[in-house]
Amino acid sequence: MTNSSAARSPRTDAVRNRQLLLSAAAEAFAEHGTEVSIAEIAQRAGIGKGTVFRHFATKEDLIAAIMGEMIDSLITTGMGLWDAADPAAALLEFMTTGIELLARDRAFCEVVGRPSLQHPAVRAGIDRLCEVVEILTNRARRQGVIRQDITGQDIVLLLGGVRHTAAPLADTQPQLWRRYLGLIFDGIRAQAAQPLPHPPPRRLEFTGPYCESSH
Amino acid sequence: MTNSSAARSPRTDAVRNRQLLLSAAAEAFAEHGTEVSIAEIAQRAGIGKGTVFRHFATKEDLIAAIMGEMIDSLITTGMGLWDAADPAAALLEFMTTGIELLARDRAFCEVVGRPSLQHPAVRAGIDRLCEVVEILTNRARRQGVIRQDITGQDIVLLLGGVRHTAAPLADTQPQLWRRYLGLIFDGIRAQAAQPLPHPPPRRLEFTGPYCESSH
DNA sequence: GGTTAACCTGACCAGTCGGTCCGTTTGGCG
DNA sequence: CGCCAAACGGACCGACTGGTCAGGTTAACC
């Protein structure tokens, strides 16, 4: 419906600035997490602070736009692996790609790990990601190459988990997460040595207004 | 050396207030993480903001005092399991206790997972914890009940990792971490199905002044 | 009970943040 | 070229933070 009747293509400087803003923000968020100030992002982009809010009404919207792109790229990766020859290897490759993304981007880590802060759009993206991974997981499970009680949602949650395991030493050993991915994937392959002590996770639930309400 | 020559026992209201402060702060940090304001902590304790800074020069010092206590309690748990009959079960019990603690306390999660923000005292506590867990792990490894390439440092890192894996759903499924602890412990038991793709972590290294220097 | 130093308090300070607003600039179109 | 809406920029606002300090209070010792 947008741009339907009184459509007018945006000015060239506006699209240029939007692009500058998006890349500067992506870079800043990756380095420092979502806590970087809008002022710093604007400075990096070489534009005024007001211009930032012209393109994105709130900081949350800006974050959501960038995180949405990252989630989409991960979804694409997942879909590209649907018809891989070895479904276990495909699953491992997907997880590797995902954690590489997380390891490179602090903001992505934060947003993915904290449902109470999530923008509705991000939430929707993660839902789609879960569905994609579910398909990847189902194939592997049906072929019996991973234990039967693992779901796609498990896999998605484990991405953040693996990354966080290695996070405290990430400055000095940036590849350490590969160790824990290996360890956990051994657990995923293991044919249910022990039944898991808790049922699989339910879908992420909507927890009301997406901003931390607390106290 | 402190309190040696001109010692004078602190006033009774001072020790009472210190106690009130410590419990209020512990509660607030557990609920909301290290970001709760000093003002709120003071209000909870029923004391003035100035009194907080009389007992602890900076907010970091207050955090360190409380986190130090938690680490010490975990160290005690670990030492109590040194002579358990089944070393694998002992290790699992230790991890269960540790993650329970993490799951109940947001600030503990934050502090343990972020070396660059750590107070020197906290850092030292974690070092001691690692040594204790190393002993626990060595026993299990020597008896062959866990894979040979796992170290105590791995175990400590995995505590935070497991907790973080389940964190996004912790509001609705507070016990979900037990699922991932089970999964990962299966990986720990597995007799090296695959050699791990990265060497074990080196000790946490001192990264300069404990406050994030960045940008 | 009187003296005093330890203690308590909340107004206050400087700095940060997200977000607003309006005077100014500029790109596109007739 | 000349017009004007769209876009820009940065001073500004209110809310909030960790931390300070002057002045009133009180516990402990003589």
Side-chain angles (χ1 to χ4, degrees):
Chain A
M1 206 54 68
T2 319
N3 273 353
S4 67
S5 52
R8 172 175 295 202
S9 65
R11 269 165 49 168
T12 59
D13 58 342
V15 308
R16 184 181 51 94
N17 281 340
R18 189 187 179 89
Q19 207 42 247
L20 287 174
L21 167 58
L22 281 173
S23 25
E27 197 184 288
F29 283 142
E31 263 178 62
H32 306 298
T34 58
E35 282 164 16
V36 273
S37 67
I38 293 290
E40 179 170 335
I41 291 173
Q43 195 182 6
R44 282 200 195 207
I47 63 180
K49 218 173 73 165
T51 306
V52 175
F53 288 104
R54 161 166 291 272
H55 288 281
F56 298 93
T58 70
K59 189 184 182 183
E60 298 288 343
D61 288 339
L62 174 57
I63 294 173
I66 291 172
M67 295 302 124
E69 274 183 23
M70 303 201 64
I71 293 172
D72 286 346
S73 90
L74 200 50
I75 287 176
T76 305
T77 299
M79 294 198 310
L81 289 165
W82 275 352
D83 52 1
D86 179 348
L91 191 58
L92 182 56
E93 186 178 331
F94 170 80
M95 293 184 77
T96 302
T97 305
I99 302 172
E100 267 169 357
L101 225 58
L102 285 168
R104 226 179 300 130
D105 197 304
R106 283 186 56 171
F108 196 37
C109 285
E110 292 173 21
V111 168
V112 163
R114 213 169 352 169
S116 54
L117 283 181
Q118 271 165 19
H119 195 281
V122 172
R123 175 90 48 145
I126 292 185
D127 278 354
R128 280 186 299 130
L129 177 65
C130 283
E131 287 166 23
V132 168
V133 179
E134 199 66 58
I135 293 174
L136 219 54
T137 311
N138 283 342
R139 266 190 80 213
R141 196 186 318 113
R142 269 199 292 270
Q143 296 208 14
V145 292
I146 62 170
R147 60 194 292 167
Q148 295 299 304
D149 48 3
I150 291 290
T151 72
Q153 173 97 77
D154 284 323
I155 299 297
V156 172
L157 288 176
L158 283 167
L159 295 183
V162 169
R163 149 69 196 178
H164 187 84
T165 304
L169 297 177
D171 286 339
T172 56
Q173 301 168 71
Q175 300 290 315
L176 181 60
W177 59 266
R178 296 186 189 275
R179 176 175 177 85
Y180 298 112
L181 176 56
L183 180 67
I184 279 152
F185 208 74
D186 276 354
I188 290 174
R189 269 195 245 260
Q191 294 302 325
Q194 308 273 336
L196 294 176
H198 190 282
R202 284 285 93 228
R203 159 190 237 94
L204 287 163
E205 280 158 41
F206 190 68
T207 58
Y210 70 90
C211 228
E212 204 127 303
S213 57
S214 60
H215 68 93
Chain B
M1 205 54 70
T2 319
N3 273 352
S4 66
S5 52
R8 174 174 295 203
S9 64
R11 271 166 48 169
T12 59
D13 58 342
V15 307
R16 184 182 52 94
N17 280 340
R18 190 187 178 89
Q19 207 41 249
L20 287 173
L21 166 59
L22 281 173
S23 25
E27 198 183 289
F29 283 142
E31 263 178 62
H32 306 298
T34 59
E35 282 165 16
V36 273
S37 67
I38 293 289
E40 178 169 334
I41 292 172
Q43 194 182 4
R44 281 200 197 208
I47 63 180
K49 214 173 76 164
T51 307
V52 175
F53 288 102
R54 163 165 290 271
H55 289 282
F56 297 93
T58 71
K59 189 184 183 184
E60 298 286 346
D61 289 339
L62 174 58
I63 294 173
I66 290 172
M67 295 302 125
E69 275 184 21
M70 304 200 64
I71 293 172
D72 286 345
S73 90
L74 200 49
I75 288 176
T76 304
T77 298
M79 294 198 309
L81 288 165
W82 275 353
D83 52 1
D86 180 348
L91 191 58
L92 182 57
E93 186 178 332
F94 170 80
M95 294 184 74
T96 302
T97 305
I99 303 171
E100 267 170 356
L101 224 58
L102 286 168
R104 226 180 298 132
D105 196 303
R106 283 186 55 173
F108 195 37
C109 286
E110 291 173 22
V111 168
V112 164
R114 215 169 350 169
S116 54
L117 283 181
Q118 272 165 20
H119 196 280
V122 172
R123 174 91 49 149
I126 292 183
D127 278 353
R128 281 185 298 130
L129 178 65
C130 284
E131 287 167 23
V132 169
V133 179
E134 199 66 58
I135 294 175
L136 220 53
T137 311
N138 283 343
R139 266 191 80 212
R141 196 185 320 114
R142 269 199 293 268
Q143 295 208 12
V145 292
I146 61 171
R147 60 195 291 168
Q148 294 299 303
D149 48 4
I150 291 290
T151 73
Q153 175 98 77
D154 284 325
I155 298 296
V156 171
L157 288 176
L158 283 167
L159 295 181
V162 169
R163 150 66 197 181
H164 188 84
T165 304
L169 297 177
D171 286 341
T172 57
Q173 301 169 70
Q175 299 291 314
L176 181 60
W177 59 267
R178 296 185 190 275
R179 176 176 177 84
Y180 299 111
L181 175 56
L183 179 68
I184 280 153
F185 207 74
D186 277 354
I188 291 174
R189 269 196 245 259
Q191 294 303 323
Q194 308 275 337
L196 293 175
H198 190 282
R202 283 286 94 227
R203 159 189 237 93
L204 287 163
E205 278 156 41
F206 191 68
T207 57
Y210 70 89
C211 230
E212 203 127 303
S213 59
S214 59
H215 69 94

